[in-house]
Amino acid sequence: MSEKIQNVPFAKPWIGEAEAEAVGRAIMSGWVTQGPEVAAFEQEFAACVGAKYACAVSNCTTALHLALLAVGVHPGDEVITVSHSFIATANCIRYCGATPVFVDIEPQTYNINPMLIEDAISDRTRAILAVHQMGMPCDLKTILEIGRKYSLPVIEDAACAIGSEILWNGQWEKIGKPHGDIACFSFHPRKVITTGDGGMITTNNPELNQQFRLRRQHAMSVPDSVRHGSKQVIFESYPVLGYNYRMTDIQAALGREQLKRLPEIVERRRYLGDRYHKKLADIPGLKLAQEPTWARSNWQSYCVRLPNKCDQRQVMQFMLDRGVATRRGVMCAHREEAYAAKESWSCGVGLDECQCGPGTCQRLKESELAQDQCIILPMYHQLHESEQDRVVAVLSEACRE
Ligand SMILES: *Cc1c(COP(=O)(O)O)cnc(C)c1O
């Protein structure tokens, strides 16, 4: 009988008994929503990335929404970001009634091209939302210089970048310190550590931190956790419009265990990333993501650009037929129907000036090419070397077909 070959999934969280026990403990404690586990997770997370404050929320999309509100993004404002990202990056700008202004990416890192930012700044620009795409740190040094020059706050969409590092004044520092004003993380299972769903906002600014904390819980002046322990009767008030963006204690208990695994997870992913780099170097025409000298990726996603002659969909199907799951390159928001309305985004030339058709834009060419030419390969903690070798072999065969 022939040996049964296991399929290689695309991603898989690394969760074990420790998490199950921690979640059980949280449930049995009787306090299941935002409470002591959330507070402990926040402290441990802040210590991990080197931030003064960390605020846990329901996911990274709500984290980004709160971050934009806190720096004062209002209806009619513009926020500079990339189209080439998960759609939540652009959506959260629209939640504020503001317009995302899309800047193109660099083809080697898939991150925002900082040289294009200044051209996109107008008198309505309120913030820069910079993404560390697929865990690769973006060029924060240059972006922060531009931010300072125009007095624009810089928010980091670090959804994928927990454990990634950037060289800062000669030292490797974790993404999320934050180097900008605010950084937002995701704990969705597709990311590097998970709480099921969940998010975290870090900052060194106490006023911003206060705002996140207020708005994540209906803008309730005195949270229930405080009233619960009080010897005196307290009436709460609601000074601004708030939301329910809380993380539960059940999620936080899971997150605390995951955080302990982070160093090991990042080390493993960097090892597998190096290994992919070496093994894939022989495939003619295949382009690999390049880490700038000042960046260390956690390889949340390992993305390759297919040789010109290859059809993305055919390669992916070929690989899937042989048991290897992949995903297409990162999407572009401006090509989605949700962004079909002209006023829903801009490419920086002014809302009515762009002459490009719906779903395409000359000024976002690198973004569109990256979406169409790239595929993302299996990458997760428990990916075995033999499985990785199979991914390489099948991709190599697919590119030859
Ligand atoms: C996953 C992701 C998000 C959204 O995170 P959720 O926690 O799922 O809301 C936002 N931005 C980027 C770049 C992402 O990859």
Side-chain angles (χ1 to χ4, degrees), residues 59-61 64 85-86 88-89 131 133 157 159-160 186 188 191 198:
N59 55 64
C60 187
T61 308
L64 292 165
S85 183
F86 184 57
T89 307
V131 184
Q133 195 53 260
D157 180 342
C160 306
S186 171
H188 182 272
K191 309 299 156 86

Side-chain angles (χ1 to χ4, degrees), residues 157-290:
D157 180 342
C160 306
I162 180 163
S164 298
E165 293 177 316
I166 192 163
L167 194 62
W168 210 256
N169 303 324
Q171 290 215 332
W172 287 102
E173 296 189 341
K174 290 245 173 58
I175 292 295
K177 197 172 180 232
H179 300 88
D181 296 275
I182 302 169
C184 300
F185 292 88
S186 171
F187 305 123
H188 182 272
R190 254 306 309 282
K191 309 299 156 86
V192 170
I193 60 171
T194 188
T195 59
D197 263 304
M200 192 70 82
I201 322 175
T202 62
T203 186
N204 294 320
N205 180 321
E207 284 102 54
L208 291 176
N209 181 49
Q210 273 318 109
Q211 292 207 50
F212 309 146
R213 288 170 182 283
L214 187 65
R215 285 204 186 89
R216 75 170 167 182
Q217 188 160 352
H218 310 286
M220 190 186 286
S221 62
V222 185
D224 44 14
S225 53
V226 172
R227 279 181 288 142
H228 175 75
S230 175
K231 292 271 188 296
Q232 256 157 358
V233 171
I234 304 176
F235 289 0
E236 80 284 11
S237 61
Y238 301 83
V240 295
L241 181 64
Y243 302 85
N244 179 356
Y245 286 171
R246 283 184 302 247
M247 176 183 278
T248 70
D249 258 26
I250 302 170
Q251 292 168 300
L254 173 51
R256 293 178 70 193
E257 292 305 321
Q258 287 274 288
L259 199 58
K260 291 183 195 160
R261 296 187 195 262
L262 181 67
E264 206 182 323
I265 291 176
V266 172
E267 193 188 321
R268 175 75 185 165
R269 283 175 171 270
R270 289 190 55 78
Y271 163 77
L272 291 170
D274 279 349
R275 208 164 172 277
Y276 262 142
H277 257 63
K278 290 194 190 99
K279 303 241 163 193
L280 293 171
D282 295 336
I283 300 181
L286 190 77
K287 294 197 187 75
L288 311 178
Q290 296 302 324

